Amino acid sequence: MKQATLCFLIRENRGNRELLLAMKKRGFGQGKWNGIGGKLDFNKRDKNIFDTATREMKEEIGVKIKDMERVAILNFHYPYLTNSEKEWPVHVFLVKDWEGEPKESEEMKPKWFKIKKIPFNKMWPDDKFWLPKILKGEKLKAEFSFKSGELIDSYEIKTI
């Protein structure tokens, strides 16, 4: 079973909390706003999931993480897929300290959103259930099962 990361930069801007999302330009999740992340890859010298988060942020938006906090582990199930990628544990991190300005890459186009204006209608359907909780300071473990068409079949969220 492959593991993956999902990182969200968060900042204060003129009294407003803002979240950095990125438009996925290719591959899995193309056309959706999402956090930045990817798969654990030992061939790219990832020793653990924290290395993966750091590497993916640098590759996808040119930012070097200085401090991050793991706030959730989300287990995604895609039983309808025919390949080996039917289950994904995803480690979610909030990043409040980093170096560099987020910039567009071949894969992602970053944009800041006010917390109250997150475009959930242009994101994965599960995001509206767990993302507001972590932005309020909760730490979570969750299970999401999808059916064909990227529709949620069932889910369970636990605060830890």
Side-chain angles (χ1 to χ4, degrees):
M1 183 180 336
K2 296 188 179 191
Q3 295 187 66
T5 63
L6 198 53
C7 299
F8 295 91
L9 272 62
I10 190 162
R11 71 178 184 188
E12 290 285 330
N13 185 23
R14 296 185 215 137
N16 290 304
R17 282 180 73 214
E18 293 182 332
L19 184 71
L20 186 85
L21 297 174
M23 176 58 70
K24 183 83 163 148
K25 295 164 56 177
R26 65 177 188 204
F28 190 66
Q30 181 176 353
K32 290 180 173 58
W33 289 107
N34 205 349
I36 293 86
K39 302 173 197 171
L40 176 68
D41 189 340
F42 296 111
N43 294 325
K44 292 186 177 181
R45 298 191 178 134
D46 294 347
K47 293 183 183 104
N48 55 47
I49 207 71
F50 298 97
D51 289 348
T52 303
T54 301
R55 176 183 54 76
E56 289 285 349
M57 290 290 280
K58 189 72 174 159
E59 287 177 4
E60 293 185 354
I61 63 166
V63 166
K64 182 181 178 189
I65 295 174
K66 291 173 73 176
D67 187 37
M68 65 180 156
E69 178 184 14
R70 183 170 25 195
V71 293
I73 298 175
L74 310 174
N75 291 302
F76 295 103
H77 306 276
Y78 304 93
Y80 63 91
L81 292 178
T82 56
N83 61 24
S84 63
E85 300 181 350
K86 292 181 179 205
E87 294 193 26
W88 285 95
V90 176
H91 300 257
V92 180
F93 297 93
L94 285 182
V95 180
K96 296 178 183 175
D97 193 12
W98 64 89
E99 288 179 5
E101 280 300 313
K103 63 180 186 243
E104 186 172 352
S105 67
E106 290 181 15
E107 191 168 347
M108 304 292 268
K109 182 178 180 178
K111 181 179 176 182
W112 289 100
F113 290 90
K114 291 179 183 175
I115 297 293
K116 294 178 182 174
K117 297 197 175 194
I118 295 172
F120 288 111
N121 61 331
K122 295 180 181 168
M123 298 172 71
W124 283 96
D126 58 277
D127 292 347
K128 65 185 172 202
F129 297 108
W130 61 267
L131 186 55
K133 291 178 180 294
I134 66 167
L135 293 174
K136 289 179 186 170
E138 293 182 43
K139 293 190 178 182
L140 310 173
K141 277 198 173 184
E143 303 277 336
F144 289 90
S145 185
F146 285 81
K147 55 187 175 184
S148 187
E150 299 175 354
L151 300 172
I152 296 173
D153 190 33
S154 64
Y155 71 94
E156 180 181 14
I157 300 173
K158 294 179 183 176
T159 302
I160 54 172

